[in-house]
Amino acid sequence: TEPQTILTERRDRVGLITLNRPKALNALNTELMTEVVAAVKEFDADAGIGAIVLTGSQKAFAAGADIKEMSSKTYAEVVGESFFGAWDELSRSRTPIIAAVTGYALGGGCELAMLCDTIIAGENAVFGQPEINLGVIPGIGGSQRLTRAVGKAKAMDMVLTGRQMKVDEAERMGLVSRVVPTDKALDTALEVATTIATKSAIATALAKDAVNRAFESSLTEGVRAERALFYSTFATDDQTEGMAAFVEKREPRFTHR
Ligand code: HXC
């Protein structure tokens, strides 16, 4: 069955996922979560895809979890169904995911962008964790990933006041990797994804794993893990080819093995 809340497209070695609930500013309901997770899994399992771009509309990347769906839920229901737990599966994708964020990335929308490996933002992008205004708190990793991204003082400020952060502040704080004109955000993200997709897929997955260790371990453990991952690249065809190509002054032809 075709997805109802997203659009998916292949552009050569890049998989593009577009959130598509324009009337609700791409509010994240359960159906959309299920469809995004399935689309990412499918692209991740596809050896022909080397990077994934996730985007929304110019007005909204996503305005948060769907408040209308959520409002009548009870404690027993959210616990019983592990409400929104499936979003965690995005972080298991070996294929890099790049968020192209324009417009509102609020609440679950900000959290979804931070679940991606990097964020390319348009000049009109606005980030925030406004859950506190609804009498709740972030629930898709916002209190953790925002704190790791921008530090405790900014994260407390954002999470406790619910205020919006414009893109210049987000870039200054390191929340986003690049800011480009709003109508160029998707193209830039696709270019970045295309560049990544030309590399060795094995090296890409190991590199992503290594950077992620920085968030999940001590420095000593992280450096040790990196060293083991680095050594393991010498078991790949792509290491042989990549280094031979440099020595022979030619472009590498990675086989992704
Ligand atoms: C459901 C939403 C929505 C949301 C917007 N809409 N955000 N529906 N859930 N999160 C709907 C509106 O109800 C409206 O529908 C339509 O989208 C257009 O929105 P407007 O408010 O009319 O647009 P505008 O005036 O431009 O304001 C944009 C906005 C505002 C500032 C983004 O919509 C807003 O504040 N939205 C909520 C942001 C938020 O609180 N997000 C955090 C959610 S909690 P109708 O039918 O009236 O036209 C969260 C928890 C995560 O994310 C953790 C869960 C585990």
Side-chain angles (χ1 to χ4, degrees):
T1 57
E2 285 295 298
Q4 302 297 305
T5 63
I6 62 170
L7 303 168
T8 63
E9 203 181 312
R10 307 168 60 100
R11 298 211 183 166
D12 198 17
R13 284 183 51 77
V14 174
L16 173 61
I17 302 172
T18 306
L19 307 180
N20 189 32
R21 296 187 69 208
K23 290 196 188 106
L25 302 185
N26 292 331
L28 311 169
N29 61 10
T30 302
E31 184 182 23
L32 181 144
M33 171 183 70
T34 307
E35 292 180 349
V36 170
V37 169
V40 166
K41 276 189 180 167
E42 194 174 324
F43 283 141
D44 190 35
D46 186 338
I49 294 291
I52 298 167
V53 171
L54 178 63
T55 195
S57 70
Q58 292 234 334
K59 174 155 188 198
F61 176 73
D66 191 319
I67 300 167
K68 292 165 191 168
E69 179 189 62
M70 202 165 37
S71 60
S72 61
K73 283 193 188 292
T74 65
Y75 173 76
E77 282 167 354
V78 293
V79 173
E81 67 187 75
S82 300
F83 183 59
F84 274 177
W87 282 120
D88 297 345
E89 293 184 44
L90 289 199
S91 51
R92 284 194 278 280
S93 171
R94 288 167 55 82
T95 310
I97 310 175
I98 294 151
V101 174
T102 47
Y104 296 110
L106 300 179
C110 186
E111 295 172 295
L112 177 55
M114 292 190 294
L115 260 166
C116 298
D117 295 301
T118 189
I119 303 175
I120 308 281
E123 279 164 351
N124 77 340
V126 172
F127 299 87
Q129 299 290 161
E131 288 90 345
I132 201 81
N133 300 326
L134 301 167
V136 296
I137 71 168
I140 316 173
S143 65
Q144 305 305 299
R145 291 198 179 88
L146 188 64
T147 308
R148 282 165 162 78
V150 304
K152 178 179 168 180
K154 281 280 178 190
M156 281 290 186
D157 176 357
M158 302 292 297
V159 170
L160 296 180
T161 69
R163 78 172 170 91
Q164 296 181 357
M165 185 188 270
K166 292 209 172 83
V167 81
D168 50 339
E169 187 179 4
E171 186 184 34
R172 204 161 63 238
M173 296 310 299
L175 181 60
V176 308
S177 74
R178 307 187 196 186
V179 180
V180 297
T182 300
D183 61 358
K184 292 281 182 292
L186 178 56
D187 284 347
T188 305
L190 287 167
E191 279 166 28
V192 170
T194 300
T195 300
I196 292 170
T198 66
K199 316 290 184 196
S200 160
I202 292 190
T204 299
L206 295 176
K208 170 173 159 160
D209 192 4
V211 173
N212 278 329
R213 297 294 174 109
F215 291 98
E216 286 166 12
S217 59
S218 68
L219 180 61
T220 305
E221 281 173 69
V223 170
R224 189 180 299 140
E226 181 202 66
R227 193 67 38 76
L229 292 168
F230 167 71
Y231 290 157
S232 76
T233 62
F234 286 71
T236 69
D237 295 344
D238 287 344
Q239 175 266 337
T240 314
E241 167 61 12
M243 294 190 179
F246 177 84
V247 172
E248 293 162 19
K249 300 187 189 297
R250 60 174 176 81
E251 288 296 310
R253 288 182 299 271
F254 291 122
T255 56
H256 311 296
R257 277 184 286 127

